Coordinates of all heavy atoms in Angstrom, one line a residue:
M1 N 112.1 87.2 105.3 CA 112.8 88.0 106.3 C 113.2 89.3 105.7 O 113.5 89.4 104.6 CB 114.1 87.2 106.7 CG 114.9 88.0 107.7 SD 116.6 87.3 108.1 CE 116.3 85.6 108.1
I2 N 113.0 90.3 106.5 CA 113.3 91.7 106.1 C 114.4 92.2 107.1 O 114.3 92.2 108.2 CB 112.1 92.7 106.2 CG1 111.0 92.2 105.4 CG2 112.5 94.0 105.9 CD1 109.7 93.0 105.5
L3 N 115.5 92.6 106.4 CA 116.7 93.1 107.2 C 116.7 94.6 107.2 O 116.0 95.2 106.3 CB 118.0 92.6 106.7 CG 118.1 91.0 106.6 CD1 119.5 90.6 105.9 CD2 118.1 90.4 108.0
E4 N 117.4 95.2 108.1 CA 117.5 96.7 108.1 C 117.9 97.3 106.8 O 117.4 98.2 106.3 CB 118.3 97.2 109.3 CG 118.3 98.7 109.4 CD 119.0 99.2 110.7 OE1 119.6 98.3 111.4 OE2 118.7 100.4 111.0
Q5 N 119.0 96.6 106.2 CA 119.5 97.0 104.9 C 118.5 96.9 103.8 O 118.4 97.7 102.9 CB 120.8 96.2 104.5 CG 121.5 96.7 103.3 CD 121.9 98.2 103.4 OE1 122.6 98.5 104.4 NE2 121.6 99.1 102.5
D6 N 117.5 95.9 103.9 CA 116.5 95.8 102.9 C 115.6 97.0 102.9 O 115.2 97.6 101.8 CB 115.6 94.6 103.1 CG 116.4 93.3 103.0 OD1 117.3 93.3 102.2 OD2 116.1 92.3 103.7
L7 N 115.3 97.5 104.1 CA 114.5 98.7 104.2 C 115.2 99.9 103.6 O 114.6 100.7 102.8 CB 114.2 99.0 105.7 CG 113.4 98.0 106.4 CD1 113.3 98.4 108.0 CD2 112.0 97.9 105.9
I8 N 116.4 100.1 103.8 CA 117.2 101.1 103.2 C 117.2 101.0 101.7 O 117.0 102.0 101.0 CB 118.7 101.1 103.8 CG1 118.6 101.4 105.3 CG2 119.5 102.2 103.0 CD1 119.9 101.1 106.0
D9 N 117.5 99.8 101.2 CA 117.6 99.6 99.7 C 116.2 99.8 99.1 O 116.2 100.1 97.9 CB 117.9 98.1 99.5 CG 119.4 97.8 99.9 OD1 120.2 98.8 100.1 OD2 119.8 96.6 100.0
L10 N 115.1 99.6 99.8 CA 113.7 99.8 99.2 C 113.3 101.2 99.3 O 112.3 101.7 98.9 CB 112.7 98.9 100.0 CG 112.8 97.4 99.7 CD1 111.9 96.6 100.6 CD2 112.5 97.1 98.2
G11 N 114.2 102.2 99.9 CA 113.8 103.6 99.9 C 113.2 104.0 101.1 O 112.8 105.2 101.2
F12 N 113.2 103.2 102.2 CA 112.5 103.8 103.5 C 113.5 104.8 104.1 O 114.8 104.7 103.9 CB 112.4 102.5 104.4 CG 111.3 101.7 104.2 CD1 111.2 100.8 103.2 CD2 110.2 101.8 105.1 CE1 110.1 100.0 103.0 CE2 109.0 100.9 104.9 CZ 109.0 100.0 103.8
E13 N 112.9 105.7 104.8 CA 113.6 106.8 105.5 C 113.7 106.5 107.0 O 112.7 106.1 107.6 CB 113.0 108.1 105.2 CG 113.1 108.6 103.8 CD 112.5 110.0 103.6 OE1 112.5 110.8 104.6 OE2 112.1 110.3 102.5
R14 N 114.8 106.6 107.5 CA 115.0 106.5 109.0 C 114.7 107.6 109.9 O 115.0 108.8 109.4 CB 116.5 106.0 109.2 CG 116.8 105.8 110.7 CD 118.3 105.3 110.8 NE 118.6 105.4 112.2 CZ 119.6 104.6 112.7 NH1 120.2 103.8 112.0 NH2 119.9 104.7 114.0
T15 N 114.0 107.4 110.9 CA 113.6 108.4 111.9 C 114.2 108.0 113.3 O 113.9 106.9 113.7 CB 112.1 108.5 112.1 OG1 111.5 109.0 110.8 CG2 111.8 109.6 113.0
N16 N 115.0 108.8 113.8 CA 115.6 108.5 115.0 C 114.9 109.2 116.2 O 114.3 110.4 116.0 CB 117.1 109.1 115.0 CG 118.0 108.4 114.1 OD1 118.0 107.2 114.0 ND2 118.7 109.2 113.3
E17 N 114.7 108.4 117.3 CA 114.0 108.9 118.5 C 115.1 108.8 119.6 O 115.8 107.8 119.7 CB 112.8 108.0 118.8 CG 111.7 108.1 117.8 CD 111.0 109.5 117.8 OE1 111.2 110.3 118.7 OE2 110.2 109.7 116.8
T18 N 115.1 109.8 120.4 CA 116.1 109.8 121.6 C 115.2 109.6 122.8 O 114.0 109.7 122.9 CB 116.8 111.2 121.6 OG1 115.8 112.2 121.9 CG2 117.5 111.5 120.3
T19 N 116.0 109.4 123.9 CA 115.4 109.3 125.2 C 114.6 110.6 125.5 O 113.5 110.5 126.2 CB 116.4 109.0 126.3 OG1 117.5 110.1 126.3 CG2 117.1 107.6 126.1
V20 N 115.1 111.7 125.1 CA 114.4 113.0 125.4 C 113.1 113.1 124.6 O 112.1 113.5 125.1 CB 115.4 114.2 125.1 CG1 114.6 115.5 125.2 CG2 116.6 114.1 125.9
S21 N 113.2 112.8 123.2 CA 112.0 113.0 122.4 C 110.9 111.9 122.7 O 109.8 112.2 122.5 CB 112.4 113.0 121.0 OG 112.9 111.7 120.5
S22 N 111.4 110.8 123.1 CA 110.4 109.7 123.2 C 110.0 109.3 124.7 O 109.1 108.7 124.9 CB 110.9 108.4 122.5 OG 112.0 107.8 123.2
G23 N 110.9 109.7 125.6 CA 110.7 109.3 127.0 C 111.0 107.9 127.3 O 110.8 107.4 128.4
S24 N 111.6 107.2 126.3 CA 112.0 105.9 126.4 C 113.4 105.8 127.3 O 114.0 106.8 127.3 CB 112.3 105.3 125.0 OG 112.7 103.9 125.1
A25 N 113.7 104.7 127.7 CA 115.0 104.4 128.4 C 116.2 104.4 127.5 O 117.3 104.6 128.1 CB 114.9 103.2 129.2
Q26 N 116.0 104.2 126.3 CA 117.1 104.1 125.4 C 116.7 104.8 124.0 O 115.6 104.8 123.6 CB 117.6 102.8 125.1 CG 116.7 101.8 124.5 CD 117.1 100.4 124.4 OE1 118.0 100.0 125.1 NE2 116.5 99.6 123.5
D27 N 117.6 105.2 123.2 CA 117.4 105.8 121.8 C 116.9 104.6 121.0 O 117.4 103.4 121.2 CB 118.7 106.4 121.3 CG 119.1 107.7 122.0 OD1 118.3 108.1 122.8 OD2 120.3 108.1 121.7
W28 N 116.2 104.9 120.0 CA 115.7 103.9 119.0 C 115.3 104.5 117.7 O 115.3 105.8 117.6 CB 114.5 103.1 119.6 CG 113.3 104.0 120.0 CD1 113.2 104.7 121.2 CD2 112.2 104.2 119.4 NE1 112.1 105.4 121.3 CE2 111.3 105.1 120.1 CE3 111.6 103.9 118.1 CZ2 110.1 105.6 119.6 CZ3 110.4 104.3 117.7 CH2 109.7 105.3 118.4
H29 N 115.1 103.7 116.7 CA 114.7 104.3 115.4 C 113.7 103.4 114.6 O 113.5 102.3 115.1 CB 116.0 104.6 114.6 CG 116.7 103.3 114.2 ND1 117.6 102.7 115.1 CD2 116.7 102.4 113.2 CE1 118.1 101.7 114.5 NE2 117.6 101.5 113.4
Y30 N 113.1 103.9 113.6 CA 112.2 103.2 112.8 C 112.3 103.7 111.5 O 112.9 104.8 111.2 CB 110.7 103.2 113.4 CG 110.2 104.7 113.3 CD1 109.3 105.1 112.3 CD2 110.4 105.5 114.4 CE1 108.9 106.4 112.3 CE2 109.8 106.8 114.4 CZ 109.0 107.1 113.4 OH 108.5 108.5 113.4
Y31 N 111.6 103.0 110.5 CA 111.7 103.5 109.1 C 110.2 103.7 108.5 O 109.3 103.0 108.9 CB 112.3 102.4 108.2 CG 113.9 102.3 108.5 CD1 114.3 101.4 109.5 CD2 114.7 103.0 107.8 CE1 115.7 101.4 109.8 CE2 116.1 102.9 107.9 CZ 116.5 102.1 109.0 OH 117.9 101.9 109.2
T32 N 110.1 104.7 107.6 CA 108.9 104.9 106.9 C 109.0 105.0 105.3 O 110.2 105.4 104.9 CB 108.1 106.1 107.4 OG1 109.0 107.3 107.2 CG2 107.7 106.0 108.8
L33 N 108.1 104.7 104.6 CA 108.0 104.9 103.2 C 106.7 105.4 102.8 O 105.7 104.8 103.0 CB 108.4 103.6 102.5 CG 108.3 103.6 101.0 CD1 109.5 104.6 100.4 CD2 108.5 102.3 100.3
D34 N 106.6 106.5 102.3 CA 105.4 107.2 101.8 C 105.3 107.0 100.3 O 106.3 107.4 99.6 CB 105.3 108.7 102.1 CG 105.1 108.8 103.6 OD1 104.6 108.0 104.3 OD2 105.6 109.9 104.1
I35 N 104.2 106.5 99.8 CA 104.0 106.3 98.3 C 102.7 107.1 97.9 O 101.6 106.8 98.4 CB 103.8 104.8 97.9 CG1 105.0 104.0 98.4 CG2 103.6 104.7 96.5 CD1 104.9 102.5 98.4
G36 N 102.9 108.1 97.2 CA 101.7 108.9 96.8 C 102.2 110.3 96.3 O 103.4 110.6 96.2
I37 N 101.2 111.2 95.9 CA 101.5 112.3 95.2 C 101.7 113.5 96.2 O 102.3 114.5 95.9 CB 100.4 112.7 94.1 CG1 99.1 112.8 94.7 CG2 100.5 111.8 93.0 CD1 98.0 113.3 93.9
D38 N 101.1 113.4 97.4 CA 101.3 114.5 98.4 C 101.0 114.0 99.7 O 100.7 112.8 99.9 CB 100.4 115.7 98.1 CG 99.0 115.4 98.0 OD1 98.5 114.6 98.8 OD2 98.3 116.0 97.1
E39 N 101.1 114.8 100.8 CA 100.9 114.3 102.1 C 99.5 113.9 102.4 O 99.3 113.2 103.4 CB 101.4 115.3 103.1 CG 100.6 116.6 103.2 CD 101.1 117.6 104.1 OE1 100.7 117.5 105.3 OE2 101.8 118.5 103.8
W40 N 98.5 114.2 101.7 CA 97.1 113.9 101.9 C 96.7 112.7 101.2 O 95.7 112.1 101.5 CB 96.3 115.1 101.5 CG 96.6 116.3 102.2 CD1 97.2 117.5 101.7 CD2 96.6 116.6 103.6 NE1 97.5 118.4 102.7 CE2 97.1 117.9 103.9 CE3 96.1 115.9 104.7 CZ2 97.1 118.5 105.1 CZ3 96.2 116.4 106.0 CH2 96.7 117.8 106.2
N41 N 97.4 112.3 100.0 CA 97.0 111.2 99.2 C 98.3 110.3 99.1 O 99.0 110.2 98.2 CB 96.6 111.8 97.8 CG 95.4 112.6 97.8 OD1 94.3 112.1 98.2 ND2 95.5 113.8 97.5
R42 N 98.4 109.5 100.2 CA 99.6 108.7 100.2 C 99.2 107.4 101.0 O 98.3 107.3 101.8 CB 100.7 109.4 100.8 CG 100.5 109.7 102.3 CD 101.7 110.4 102.9 NE 101.4 110.8 104.3 CZ 102.1 111.6 104.9 NH1 103.2 112.0 104.5 NH2 101.7 111.9 106.2
F43 N 100.1 106.4 100.7 CA 100.1 105.1 101.4 C 101.3 105.1 102.2 O 102.4 105.2 101.7 CB 100.0 104.0 100.3 CG 99.7 102.7 100.8 CD1 98.4 102.3 100.9 CD2 100.7 101.8 101.2 CE1 98.1 101.0 101.3 CE2 100.4 100.6 101.6 CZ 99.1 100.2 101.7
C44 N 101.3 104.9 103.5 CA 102.5 105.0 104.3 C 102.7 103.6 104.9 O 101.8 103.0 105.5 CB 102.2 106.0 105.5 SG 103.6 106.1 106.5
L45 N 103.9 103.2 104.8 CA 104.4 102.0 105.4 C 105.3 102.3 106.5 O 106.2 103.2 106.4 CB 105.2 101.0 104.3 CG 104.4 100.6 103.1 CD1 105.3 99.9 102.1 CD2 103.3 99.7 103.7
I46 N 105.3 101.6 107.6 CA 106.2 101.9 108.8 C 106.6 100.6 109.4 O 106.0 99.6 109.4 CB 105.3 102.7 109.9 CG1 106.2 103.2 111.0 CG2 104.2 101.9 110.4 CD1 105.6 104.2 111.9
S47 N 107.9 100.7 109.7 CA 108.6 99.5 110.3 C 108.4 99.4 111.8 O 108.0 100.3 112.5 CB 110.1 99.5 110.0 OG 110.7 100.4 110.9
S48 N 108.6 98.2 112.3 CA 108.7 98.1 113.7 C 109.9 99.0 114.3 O 110.8 99.4 113.5 CB 109.0 96.6 114.1 OG 110.0 96.1 113.4
A49 N 109.8 99.3 115.5 CA 110.9 100.1 116.2 C 112.2 99.2 116.4 O 112.0 98.0 116.5 CB 110.5 100.6 117.6
S50 N 113.3 99.8 116.3 CA 114.6 99.1 116.4 C 114.6 98.2 117.7 O 115.3 97.2 117.7 CB 115.8 100.0 116.3 OG 115.8 101.0 117.3
D51 N 114.1 98.7 118.8 CA 114.1 98.1 120.0 C 113.1 96.9 120.1 O 113.1 96.1 121.1 CB 113.9 99.0 121.2 CG 112.7 99.7 121.2 OD1 112.0 99.7 120.2 OD2 112.4 100.4 122.2
E52 N 112.3 96.7 119.1 CA 111.4 95.6 119.0 C 111.9 94.5 118.0 O 111.3 93.4 118.0 CB 110.0 96.1 118.5 CG 109.3 97.1 119.5 CD 108.2 97.7 118.9 OE1 107.9 97.6 117.6 OE2 107.3 98.3 119.6
V53 N 113.0 94.8 117.3 CA 113.4 93.8 116.3 C 114.0 92.6 117.0 O 114.8 92.7 118.0 CB 114.5 94.4 115.5 CG1 115.2 93.5 114.6 CG2 113.9 95.6 114.6
Q54 N 113.7 91.4 116.5 CA 114.3 90.2 117.1 C 115.1 89.4 116.0 O 114.6 89.2 114.9 CB 113.1 89.3 117.6 CG 112.4 89.9 118.8 CD 111.3 89.0 119.2 OE1 111.1 87.9 118.8 NE2 110.5 89.5 120.3
N55 N 116.4 89.0 116.5 CA 117.2 88.2 115.5 C 117.5 89.0 114.2 O 117.6 88.4 113.1 CB 116.6 86.9 115.2 CG 116.4 86.0 116.4 OD1 117.3 86.1 117.3 ND2 115.3 85.4 116.6
G56 N 117.4 90.3 114.2 CA 117.7 91.2 113.0 C 116.6 91.2 112.0 O 116.8 91.7 110.9
E57 N 115.4 90.6 112.3 CA 114.2 90.5 111.4 C 113.3 91.6 111.7 O 112.7 91.7 112.8 CB 113.6 89.2 111.5 CG 114.5 88.0 111.2 CD 113.8 86.7 111.1 OE1 112.6 86.7 111.1 OE2 114.5 85.7 111.4
W58 N 113.1 92.5 110.8 CA 112.2 93.7 110.9 C 110.8 93.4 110.3 O 110.7 92.4 109.5 CB 112.7 94.9 110.1 CG 113.9 95.5 110.7 CD1 115.2 94.9 110.8 CD2 114.1 96.7 111.4 NE1 116.1 95.7 111.5 CE2 115.4 96.8 111.8 CE3 113.2 97.7 111.6 CZ2 115.8 98.0 112.5 CZ3 113.6 98.9 112.3 CH2 115.0 99.0 112.7
K59 N 109.9 94.0 110.8 CA 108.5 93.8 110.3 C 108.0 95.2 109.8 O 108.4 96.3 110.2 CB 107.5 93.5 111.5 CG 107.9 92.1 111.9 CD 106.9 91.6 113.1 CE 107.3 90.3 113.6 NZ 106.4 89.9 114.7
V60 N 107.1 95.2 108.8 CA 106.6 96.5 108.2 C 105.1 96.3 108.2 O 104.4 95.3 107.9 CB 107.1 96.6 106.8 CG1 106.4 97.8 106.1 CG2 108.7 96.9 106.8
Y61 N 104.5 97.5 108.6 CA 103.0 97.6 108.8 C 102.5 98.7 107.8 O 103.2 99.6 107.5 CB 102.7 98.0 110.2 CG 103.2 97.0 111.2 CD1 104.5 97.1 111.7 CD2 102.5 95.9 111.6 CE1 105.0 96.3 112.7 CE2 103.0 95.0 112.5 CZ 104.3 95.2 113.1 OH 104.8 94.3 113.9
I62 N 101.2 98.7 107.6 CA 100.5 99.9 106.9 C 100.2 100.9 108.1 O 99.7 100.4 109.1 CB 99.3 99.3 106.2 CG1 99.7 98.4 105.1 CG2 98.5 100.6 105.6 CD1 98.4 97.7 104.4
F63 N 100.7 102.0 108.0 CA 100.5 103.0 109.0 C 98.9 103.1 109.4 O 98.1 103.2 108.5 CB 101.0 104.4 108.5 CG 101.0 105.4 109.6 CD1 101.9 105.4 110.7 CD2 100.0 106.5 109.6 CE1 101.8 106.4 111.7 CE2 100.0 107.4 110.6 CZ 100.8 107.3 111.6
D64 N 98.8 103.2 110.7 CA 97.4 103.3 111.3 C 96.5 102.2 110.9 O 95.2 102.3 110.7 CB 96.8 104.6 110.7 CG 96.9 105.7 111.9 OD1 97.2 105.3 113.0 OD2 96.4 106.8 111.7
N65 N 97.0 101.0 110.7 CA 96.3 99.8 110.3 C 96.9 98.5 111.0 O 98.1 98.3 110.7 CB 96.2 99.6 108.8 CG 95.3 98.5 108.4 OD1 95.3 97.4 108.9 ND2 94.4 98.8 107.4
D66 N 96.3 97.8 111.8 CA 96.7 96.7 112.5 C 96.4 95.4 111.9 O 96.6 94.4 112.3 CB 96.3 96.6 114.0 CG 96.7 97.8 114.8 OD1 97.9 98.3 114.5 OD2 96.0 98.3 115.7
S67 N 95.8 95.4 110.6 CA 95.4 94.2 110.0 C 96.4 93.5 109.2 O 96.3 92.4 108.8 CB 94.2 94.6 109.1 OG 93.1 95.0 109.9
F68 N 97.5 94.2 108.8 CA 98.6 93.6 107.9 C 99.9 93.9 108.5 O 100.3 94.8 109.1 CB 98.5 94.4 106.6 CG 97.2 94.4 105.9 CD1 96.3 95.4 106.0 CD2 96.8 93.3 105.1 CE1 95.0 95.4 105.5 CE2 95.6 93.2 104.6 CZ 94.7 94.3 104.7
V69 N 100.7 92.7 108.3 CA 102.1 92.8 108.7 C 102.9 92.1 107.5 O 102.5 91.1 107.2 CB 102.4 92.2 110.2 CG1 102.1 90.8 110.1 CG2 103.9 92.5 110.5
F70 N 104.0 92.8 107.2 CA 104.9 92.1 106.2 C 106.2 91.7 106.8 O 106.9 92.5 107.5 CB 105.2 93.1 105.1 CG 103.9 93.6 104.2 CD1 103.2 94.6 104.8 CD2 103.6 92.8 103.2 CE1 102.0 95.0 104.2 CE2 102.4 93.3 102.5 CZ 101.7 94.3 102.9
T71 N 106.6 90.4 106.6 CA 107.8 89.9 107.1 C 108.7 89.3 106.0 O 109.8 88.8 106.3 CB 107.5 88.8 108.1 OG1 106.7 87.8 107.5 CG2 106.8 89.3 109.4
S72 N 108.3 89.4 104.8 CA 109.1 88.9 103.6 C 109.4 90.1 102.7 O 108.6 90.9 102.2 CB 108.1 88.0 102.8 OG 108.6 87.8 101.5
K73 N 110.7 90.2 102.5 CA 111.3 91.2 101.6 C 110.6 91.2 100.3 O 110.2 92.2 99.7 CB 112.7 91.1 101.5 CG 113.3 92.2 100.6 CD 114.7 92.1 100.2 CE 115.1 93.1 99.2 NZ 116.2 92.6 98.3
D74 N 110.4 89.9 99.7 CA 109.9 89.8 98.3 C 108.5 90.3 98.3 O 108.1 91.0 97.3 CB 110.0 88.4 97.8 CG 111.4 87.9 97.6 OD1 112.3 88.8 97.3 OD2 111.7 86.7 97.6
Q75 N 107.7 90.0 99.3 CA 106.3 90.4 99.3 C 106.2 91.9 99.5 O 105.4 92.6 98.9 CB 105.5 89.7 100.4 CG 105.2 88.2 100.0 CD 104.4 87.6 101.1 OE1 104.2 88.1 102.2 NE2 104.1 86.2 100.8
L76 N 107.0 92.4 100.4 CA 107.1 94.0 100.6 C 107.4 94.7 99.3 O 106.8 95.7 99.0 CB 108.0 94.2 101.7 CG 108.2 95.7 102.1 CD1 106.8 96.4 102.5 CD2 109.2 95.9 103.1
E77 N 108.4 94.2 98.6 CA 108.9 94.8 97.4 C 107.8 94.7 96.3 O 107.6 95.7 95.6 CB 110.2 94.1 97.0 CG 110.9 94.7 95.8 CD 112.2 94.2 95.5 OE1 112.5 93.1 96.0 OE2 113.0 94.9 94.8
S78 N 107.1 93.6 96.2 CA 105.9 93.4 95.3 C 104.9 94.5 95.5 O 104.4 95.1 94.7 CB 105.4 92.1 95.4 OG 106.3 91.1 94.9
L79 N 104.6 94.6 96.9 CA 103.5 95.7 97.3 C 104.0 97.0 96.8 O 103.3 97.8 96.1 CB 103.3 95.7 98.8 CG 102.4 96.7 99.3 CD1 100.9 96.5 98.7 CD2 102.4 96.7 100.8
I80 N 105.2 97.4 97.1 CA 105.7 98.7 96.7 C 105.7 98.9 95.3 O 105.3 100.0 94.8 CB 107.2 98.9 97.3 CG1 107.1 99.0 98.9 CG2 107.9 100.1 96.7 CD1 108.5 98.8 99.5
N81 N 106.2 97.9 94.5 CA 106.0 97.9 93.1 C 104.7 98.2 92.5 O 104.5 99.0 91.7 CB 106.8 96.8 92.4 CG 108.3 96.8 92.7 OD1 108.9 97.8 92.9 ND2 108.9 95.6 92.6
L82 N 103.7 97.4 93.1 CA 102.3 97.4 92.6 C 101.8 98.9 92.9 O 101.1 99.5 92.0 CB 101.5 96.4 93.3 CG 101.6 95.0 92.8 CD1 101.0 94.1 93.8 CD2 101.0 94.9 91.4
L83 N 102.0 99.4 94.1 CA 101.5 100.8 94.4 C 102.1 101.8 93.6 O 101.5 102.7 93.1 CB 101.8 101.1 95.9 CG 101.0 100.2 96.9 CD1 101.5 100.4 98.3 CD2 99.5 100.5 96.7
T84 N 103.4 101.8 93.4 CA 104.2 102.7 92.6 C 103.7 102.7 91.2 O 103.5 103.8 90.5 CB 105.7 102.6 92.7 OG1 106.1 102.6 94.1 CG2 106.5 103.5 92.0
A85 N 103.6 101.5 90.6 CA 103.2 101.4 89.2 C 101.7 101.8 88.9 O 101.4 102.2 87.8 CB 103.3 99.9 88.7
N86 N 100.9 101.9 89.9 CA 99.5 102.2 89.7 C 99.1 103.4 90.4 O 98.0 103.8 90.4 CB 98.6 101.0 90.2 CG 98.8 99.8 89.4 OD1 98.3 99.8 88.3 ND2 99.6 98.8 89.9
M87 N 100.1 104.3 90.8 CA 99.8 105.6 91.4 C 99.3 106.6 90.3 O 99.8 106.6 89.2 CB 101.1 106.1 92.0 CG 100.9 107.3 92.8 SD 102.4 107.8 93.8 CE 103.7 107.7 92.5
I88 N 98.3 107.3 90.7 CA 97.8 108.3 89.8 C 98.7 109.5 89.9 O 98.9 110.0 91.1 CB 96.3 108.7 90.2 CG1 95.4 107.6 89.9 CG2 95.9 109.9 89.4 CD1 94.0 107.7 90.5
Q89 N 99.2 110.0 88.8 CA 100.1 111.1 88.8 C 99.4 112.5 89.0 O 98.2 112.6 88.3 CB 101.0 111.2 87.5 CG 101.9 109.8 87.4 CD 102.8 109.7 88.6 OE1 103.4 110.6 89.1 NE2 102.9 108.5 89.0
N90 N 99.9 113.4 89.7 CA 99.3 114.7 89.9 C 99.3 115.5 88.6 O 100.3 115.6 87.9 CB 100.0 115.5 90.9 CG 99.2 116.6 91.4 OD1 98.1 116.9 91.1 ND2 99.9 117.5 92.2
G91 N 98.1 115.9 88.0 CA 98.1 116.6 86.8 C 97.8 115.7 85.7 O 97.7 115.8 84.6

């Protein structure tokens, strides 16, 4: 299970969407985490939208990829640790 506080603790950044910006009937938010050296060379993780969360359980996806979904905090944390530990540093 992934809770909203887990996303915050893992370094995800919250993005707020309003009814005006999204055209939705209510305000909502989601979280992202970019791992990489710059905006062109990065691995982006994105959470489900707050209005899609059921029973407080969040899901995390690889941005622009529908093949993977993370529902376990431990597995998500392992992925983040693996990516961070093996990132090529700029320069």
Side-chain angles (χ1 to χ4, degrees):
M1 176 185 325
I2 301 171
L3 303 175
E4 186 168 11
Q5 187 60 49
D6 295 330
L7 297 173
I8 295 165
D9 293 345
L10 289 169
F12 280 74
E13 293 185 24
R14 178 175 167 153
T15 299
N16 295 311
E17 295 290 348
T18 65
T19 55
V20 174
S21 68
S22 69
S24 178
Q26 64 185 20
D27 293 349
W28 55 280
H29 62 277
Y30 64 95
Y31 290 87
T32 58
L33 178 66
D34 292 331
I35 302 169
I37 56 173
D38 59 40
E39 67 181 274
W40 305 109
N41 296 296
R42 66 181 171 188
F43 193 90
C44 181
L45 298 172
I46 187 167
S47 76
S48 48
S50 59
D51 60 347
E52 299 172 343
V53 173
Q54 297 179 1
N55 301 317
E57 297 181 28
W58 290 70
K59 296 179 182 178
V60 173
Y61 305 88
I62 298 170
F63 184 74
D64 258 355
N65 187 313
D66 296 329
S67 299
F68 304 96
V69 60
F70 295 89
T71 58
S72 161
K73 178 192 175 204
D74 291 338
Q75 289 181 353
L76 179 60
E77 188 170 18
S78 293
L79 175 68
I80 293 167
N81 289 338
L82 284 168
L83 291 170
T84 303
N86 293 285
M87 185 173 51
I88 296 171
Q89 299 300 317
N90 193 8

